[in-house]
Amino acid sequence: MLVPVDIGVVAQASSGRWERVVLRTPAQAAANFAGGEGGQWPRGIVFSADGNRALLCIDVAGAYLSEDGGLSWNVRSNGYLARGCASAAFDPNNSDRIVAVGANSAPHAANGLYLTEDGARSWRQVRPAMISGLHEQRSQIAWDETTYDAATRKTRTVYWSRVEGDGATWGTPEERPALWRSDDGGATWTEIANSKEAAGGAFLRCRNGVLFSGNRRGVWRSPDKGVTWTKLLAGEVTGLALQGDRLVASLPQRLVRSRAGFTGWDDLNVGPLRNGTDVFRFVEVSPADPNRIAVWRESVPNTWNWPRFVSRDGGASWTQVAMSTPEAFLPVNSRQGLWSWHPTNPDVALSIGGDLVTRSTDGGRTLRWSNAGNNAILVGGMLNFNAKDPDVIFVGSQDYNGASTADGGRSWTYRNPSGNGWGGFTYAGYALSKSVLAVGDAPGWGGGKRLKVSRDGGSTWNDTGVDLAGTFETAIGSGVDPRVAFVKEARTADGAKTWSRRTAC
């Protein structure tokens, strides 16, 4: 199993307490920059109803909580057994209570629904589900705010739309797309009979006790807690949002808004945003100003060109969103335009930019780095200090190549053994010295690796021609002779000039 590591826990302060060690450049360290590099794919982001808290869902790093409106983040995984998180929603009447969807690359008994009732300080699994759900990016949890019980401080009714067409990377998920409902605040759940067509794999929204869904078969409305449904719109739905007492839906080539009483639909002016076969996704409307709408466009076929757009006049005109993330330590790649508008301030929104959180204070027109504390990066193999100098460390990273430090983790330099601009797959990194680094470089997850060596501190890399085929994902040096080291099953006795494979390792 691949294990996500918050690299913030790798060094012990002189006081005996553990402290975060973040990936930040020497210049950032000198400026006391808090850091927060991201490094694992965000799958959802959502504000609480008061805007003070926010939850970030990450593919294989669980859930991160912000208690300052998205300015800083802390991992919150006590009792959260699933590797990743696909979606979450706060109880609209009590931000201590959150339901989240546990997800993973493969179906697993630890996946399914989780509940916290203490502000994400602890979680418990309340509905196991053998799903993957990893590639799920939709608002699949909806609370009915009208069912609040003041005596228990709980909103009683909450819904979950289980995944349809589960895209597991490995394994065979249990396909049971349907609507699930809890009437005790998320503690126990019941599958709603005959709900697959209207609510399987759906975006969910709830207003005044009425439940709405949007899935590949259309937009639907249920006035009786998901028991019966009326179809409001036919066609594939790629996003669904509330705009007062109306709905806004994204379809592959259109954005539409319902008329009063759901008597019909009108198109929003997205003609200037269309681009061939590209698809609109994840429309979101500001609850503080219904004229502010955000949407993103996915390139089809995929060229990783995924622009976001925002409207401040109800969809009559649009501006392409600008991204400003110079603080990012890792490469900033295209990611889905996930979006959460602040509930009361129409100028503030949270989104993502690469594998990091961004925040807007100008109504969505600009998204800026807001990722402090999100230190989730998957270290490729076991981590080891240089055997002679513990201030010298080199770590490989599955997805993002790796990084080295010569000052015990106070500052780092990004290293690129793969030569890719977006990242790479490196495993079992080790620094034989400040200048000599070695690592196994792979073309993909879990593939065969080639041993690569740098003799200039990681600025340039040479392919040794040594294939590393074993599953031993670690590297280590000799405390007696600094010229001796292992990288996986390859051994050097001359400071990484020559190598031999030890097939019995």
Side-chain angles (χ1 to χ4, degrees), residues 289-477:
D289 179 358
N291 284 318
R292 302 195 181 193
I293 307 172
V295 71
W296 71 282
R297 192 183 68 208
E298 180 181 19
S299 55
V300 180
N302 187 15
T303 61
W304 295 94
N305 179 24
W306 296 348
R308 308 146 198 246
F309 305 94
V310 65
S311 174
R312 295 164 63 91
D313 55 13
S317 62
W318 299 83
T319 300
Q320 185 166 338
V321 177
M323 192 78 67
S324 178
T325 57
E327 302 90 342
F329 182 90
L330 301 175
V332 179
N333 297 312
S334 292
R335 292 292 185 251
Q336 288 88 350
L338 306 179
W339 202 277
S340 183
W341 288 100
H342 192 280
T344 59
N345 187 340
D347 287 332
V348 174
L350 292 175
S351 187
I352 61 170
D355 290 330
L356 54 89
V357 180
T358 56
R359 190 172 186 267
S360 176
T361 57
D362 61 3
R365 288 173 292 189
T366 308
L367 292 170
R368 302 185 185 279
W369 188 97
S370 190
N371 202 56
N374 173 14
N375 303 311
I377 184 169
L378 198 153
V379 174
M382 298 300 291
L383 166 69
N384 272 310
F385 298 83
N386 176 273
K388 288 291 187 178
D389 185 351
D391 281 344
V392 176
I393 312 166
F394 172 53
V395 294
S397 169
Q398 177 172 288
D399 299 331
Y400 277 117
N401 282 308
S404 66
T405 179
D407 58 12
R410 183 173 184 272
S411 66
W412 296 77
T413 302
Y414 182 72
R415 301 303 182 191
N416 189 1
S418 72
N420 299 320
W422 54 266
F425 312 102
T426 63
Y427 302 81
Y430 183 70
L432 285 81
S433 68
K434 293 180 182 179
S435 300
V436 181
L437 312 179
V439 73
D441 179 33
W445 293 357
K449 301 162 184 70
R450 290 292 286 268
L451 177 61
K452 289 189 175 180
V453 172
S454 173
R455 307 195 72 84
D456 56 10
S459 297
T460 60
W461 293 84
N462 297 313
D463 187 337
T464 65
V466 176
D467 290 318
L468 304 173
T471 59
F472 184 65
E473 299 287 12
T474 193
I476 194 167

Side-chain angles (χ1 to χ4, degrees), residues 238 251-253 275 277-281 296-300:
T238 61
L251 286 70
Q253 298 290 315
N275 186 35
T277 56
D278 289 2
V279 172
F280 294 120
R281 294 194 181 277
W296 71 282
R297 192 183 68 208
E298 180 181 19
S299 55
V300 180

